[in-house]
Short mmCIF file of all heavy atoms in Angstrom, two decimals:
data_model
loop_
_atom_site.label_atom_id
_atom_site.label_comp_id
_atom_site.label_asym_id
_atom_site.label_seq_id
_atom_site.Cartn_x
_atom_site.Cartn_y
_atom_site.Cartn_z
N LYS A 48 119.58 14.73 157.40
CA LYS A 48 120.23 13.55 156.82
C LYS A 48 121.18 12.92 157.91
O LYS A 48 121.18 11.72 158.08
CB LYS A 48 121.06 13.91 155.63
CG LYS A 48 120.28 14.00 154.32
CD LYS A 48 121.23 14.19 153.18
CE LYS A 48 120.50 14.12 151.84
NZ LYS A 48 121.45 14.26 150.70
N LYS A 62 115.76 27.11 174.21
CA LYS A 62 114.34 27.36 174.10
C LYS A 62 113.70 26.41 173.06
O LYS A 62 112.52 26.19 173.08
CB LYS A 62 114.07 28.83 173.61
CG LYS A 62 114.57 29.89 174.57
CD LYS A 62 114.38 31.26 173.92
CE LYS A 62 114.93 32.37 174.82
NZ LYS A 62 114.80 33.70 174.11
N GLU A 72 117.62 12.80 181.53
CA GLU A 72 118.25 13.52 182.63
C GLU A 72 119.46 14.27 182.28
O GLU A 72 119.64 15.48 182.60
CB GLU A 72 118.56 12.53 183.78
CG GLU A 72 119.14 13.18 185.01
CD GLU A 72 119.38 12.18 186.11
OE1 GLU A 72 118.91 11.03 186.01
OE2 GLU A 72 120.10 12.54 187.07
N GLU A 79 119.83 23.21 181.28
CA GLU A 79 119.76 24.15 182.39
C GLU A 79 121.06 24.92 182.51
O GLU A 79 121.07 26.14 182.67
CB GLU A 79 119.46 23.43 183.70
CG GLU A 79 119.27 24.36 184.87
CD GLU A 79 118.90 23.59 186.16
OE1 GLU A 79 118.65 22.37 186.05
OE2 GLU A 79 118.88 24.24 187.23
N LEU A 104 141.24 60.23 152.58
CA LEU A 104 141.41 59.27 153.65
C LEU A 104 142.80 58.61 153.53
O LEU A 104 143.01 57.50 154.08
CB LEU A 104 140.30 58.22 153.63
CG LEU A 104 138.89 58.73 153.89
CD1 LEU A 104 137.90 57.56 153.79
CD2 LEU A 104 138.79 59.38 155.26
N HIS A 106 145.35 59.25 155.07
CA HIS A 106 146.01 59.14 156.40
C HIS A 106 145.57 57.87 157.16
O HIS A 106 146.13 57.58 158.20
CB HIS A 106 145.66 60.36 157.23
CG HIS A 106 144.16 60.51 157.52
ND1 HIS A 106 143.29 60.91 156.54
CD2 HIS A 106 143.46 60.33 158.67
CE1 HIS A 106 142.07 60.96 157.04
NE2 HIS A 106 142.12 60.59 158.34
N ASP A 109 144.63 51.69 158.34
CA ASP A 109 143.84 50.49 158.65
C ASP A 109 142.40 50.88 158.66
O ASP A 109 141.98 51.86 159.29
CB ASP A 109 144.23 49.98 160.05
CG ASP A 109 143.59 48.63 160.37
OD1 ASP A 109 142.54 48.31 159.85
OD2 ASP A 109 144.19 47.84 161.15
N SER A 125 129.33 50.85 176.86
CA SER A 125 129.03 51.03 175.47
C SER A 125 129.04 52.52 175.04
O SER A 125 129.03 52.81 173.88
CB SER A 125 127.70 50.38 175.14
OG SER A 125 126.65 50.97 175.91
N ILE A 149 130.19 52.50 155.90
CA ILE A 149 130.87 52.44 157.20
C ILE A 149 129.96 51.71 158.19
O ILE A 149 128.77 51.92 158.23
CB ILE A 149 131.15 53.87 157.73
CG1 ILE A 149 131.92 54.68 156.70
CG2 ILE A 149 131.88 53.86 159.05
CD1 ILE A 149 132.08 56.15 157.10
N PRO A 158 123.30 48.25 178.11
CA PRO A 158 122.28 47.68 179.00
C PRO A 158 120.98 47.39 178.23
O PRO A 158 120.48 48.23 177.49
CB PRO A 158 122.07 48.80 180.02
CG PRO A 158 123.30 49.68 179.94
CD PRO A 158 123.70 49.60 178.50
N THR A 169 107.82 53.50 168.18
CA THR A 169 107.25 54.62 168.89
C THR A 169 108.21 55.80 168.96
O THR A 169 109.41 55.60 168.83
CB THR A 169 106.89 54.16 170.35
OG1 THR A 169 108.13 53.78 171.02
CG2 THR A 169 105.94 53.00 170.32
N ARG A 189 135.81 61.64 164.54
CA ARG A 189 137.25 61.81 164.82
C ARG A 189 138.07 61.59 163.53
O ARG A 189 139.16 62.11 163.42
CB ARG A 189 137.68 60.83 165.90
CG ARG A 189 137.12 61.15 167.28
CD ARG A 189 137.85 60.28 168.31
NE ARG A 189 137.45 60.63 169.67
CZ ARG A 189 138.10 60.25 170.77
NH1 ARG A 189 139.20 59.51 170.62
NH2 ARG A 189 137.66 60.58 171.96
N ILE A 203 120.15 52.86 162.36
CA ILE A 203 120.65 52.46 163.69
C ILE A 203 120.13 51.08 164.00
O ILE A 203 118.90 50.83 163.88
CB ILE A 203 120.22 53.50 164.76
CG1 ILE A 203 120.78 54.88 164.44
CG2 ILE A 203 120.66 53.04 166.14
CD1 ILE A 203 120.21 55.98 165.31
N LEU A 213 118.59 38.92 164.37
CA LEU A 213 119.70 38.02 164.44
C LEU A 213 119.47 36.97 165.52
O LEU A 213 120.35 36.12 165.77
CB LEU A 213 121.02 38.73 164.80
CG LEU A 213 121.41 39.84 163.78
CD1 LEU A 213 122.73 40.49 164.22
CD2 LEU A 213 121.62 39.18 162.40
N GLY A 221 127.35 38.13 173.03
CA GLY A 221 127.85 36.77 173.02
C GLY A 221 128.23 36.36 174.43
O GLY A 221 128.05 37.07 175.42
N LEU A 222 128.86 35.18 174.51
CA LEU A 222 129.33 34.61 175.80
C LEU A 222 130.41 35.49 176.38
O LEU A 222 131.24 36.08 175.68
CB LEU A 222 129.80 33.19 175.65
CG LEU A 222 128.78 32.15 175.34
CD1 LEU A 222 129.45 30.76 175.32
CD2 LEU A 222 127.66 32.15 176.35
N LEU A 235 137.47 17.62 176.13
CA LEU A 235 138.42 16.82 176.94
C LEU A 235 139.68 17.57 177.32
O LEU A 235 140.33 17.23 178.31
CB LEU A 235 138.84 15.58 176.13
CG LEU A 235 137.72 14.56 175.78
CD1 LEU A 235 138.19 13.47 174.89
CD2 LEU A 235 137.05 14.02 177.08
N PRO A 245 132.33 26.59 174.98
CA PRO A 245 131.90 25.20 174.84
C PRO A 245 132.29 24.69 173.45
O PRO A 245 132.33 25.43 172.48
CB PRO A 245 130.37 25.23 175.03
CG PRO A 245 130.13 26.57 175.69
CD PRO A 245 131.17 27.53 175.24
N GLY A 253 122.87 13.55 167.52
CA GLY A 253 122.40 14.20 166.28
C GLY A 253 122.26 15.70 166.38
O GLY A 253 121.77 16.32 165.42
N SER A 260 129.17 31.25 169.91
CA SER A 260 129.09 30.79 171.31
C SER A 260 129.77 29.42 171.48
O SER A 260 129.65 28.79 172.52
CB SER A 260 127.63 30.67 171.77
OG SER A 260 126.89 29.80 170.95
N GLY A 264 135.13 30.96 169.24
CA GLY A 264 134.64 32.12 169.91
C GLY A 264 133.98 33.17 169.08
O GLY A 264 133.53 32.92 167.96
N GLY A 266 133.33 36.64 166.86
CA GLY A 266 133.95 37.27 165.68
C GLY A 266 133.66 36.47 164.42
O GLY A 266 133.53 35.24 164.51
N ILE A 276 134.65 23.39 161.57
CA ILE A 276 134.90 22.28 162.50
C ILE A 276 133.68 21.39 162.60
O ILE A 276 133.81 20.14 162.66
CB ILE A 276 135.25 22.89 163.89
CG1 ILE A 276 136.57 23.64 163.85
CG2 ILE A 276 135.31 21.77 164.97
CD1 ILE A 276 136.85 24.45 165.10
N HIS A 287 138.61 14.97 155.15
CA HIS A 287 139.41 16.10 155.55
C HIS A 287 140.64 16.18 154.68
O HIS A 287 141.03 17.25 154.18
CB HIS A 287 139.84 16.04 157.01
CG HIS A 287 138.71 15.88 157.99
ND1 HIS A 287 138.93 15.93 159.36
CD2 HIS A 287 137.39 15.66 157.82
CE1 HIS A 287 137.78 15.80 159.99
NE2 HIS A 287 136.84 15.62 159.07
N LEU A 288 141.31 15.05 154.57
CA LEU A 288 142.57 15.01 153.82
C LEU A 288 142.38 15.35 152.34
O LEU A 288 143.19 16.03 151.73
CB LEU A 288 143.24 13.65 154.02
CG LEU A 288 143.63 13.29 155.45
CD1 LEU A 288 144.13 11.86 155.54
CD2 LEU A 288 144.70 14.24 155.98
N PRO A 299 149.18 28.68 144.57
CA PRO A 299 150.52 28.34 145.15
C PRO A 299 150.61 28.68 146.63
O PRO A 299 151.35 28.03 147.37
CB PRO A 299 151.44 29.15 144.28
CG PRO A 299 150.75 29.29 142.97
CD PRO A 299 149.28 29.44 143.33
N THR A 321 136.22 8.08 163.01
CA THR A 321 135.60 9.32 162.49
C THR A 321 134.56 8.98 161.44
O THR A 321 134.83 8.03 160.62
CB THR A 321 136.64 10.27 161.88
OG1 THR A 321 137.31 9.57 160.81
CG2 THR A 321 137.62 10.72 162.91
N GLU A 332 116.00 12.50 153.73
CA GLU A 332 115.67 13.92 153.69
C GLU A 332 114.22 14.09 153.21
O GLU A 332 113.84 13.62 152.17
CB GLU A 332 116.62 14.66 152.73
CG GLU A 332 116.40 16.14 152.75
CD GLU A 332 117.42 16.85 151.85
OE1 GLU A 332 117.92 16.17 150.91
OE2 GLU A 332 117.66 18.06 152.02
N SER A 335 107.51 17.49 155.75
CA SER A 335 106.09 17.16 155.82
C SER A 335 105.43 18.10 156.78
O SER A 335 106.02 18.65 157.64
CB SER A 335 105.90 15.69 156.24
OG SER A 335 106.49 15.46 157.49
#
Side-chain angles (χ1 to χ4, degrees):
K48 277 187 174 182
K62 297 175 184 177
E72 184 178 346
E79 184 177 351
L104 295 179
H106 61 288
D109 189 331
S125 60
I149 306 173
T169 62
R189 291 193 176 194
I203 299 170
L213 300 181
L222 290 184
L235 297 176
S260 59
I276 293 170
H287 303 188
L288 297 174
T321 60
E332 185 178 24
S335 58

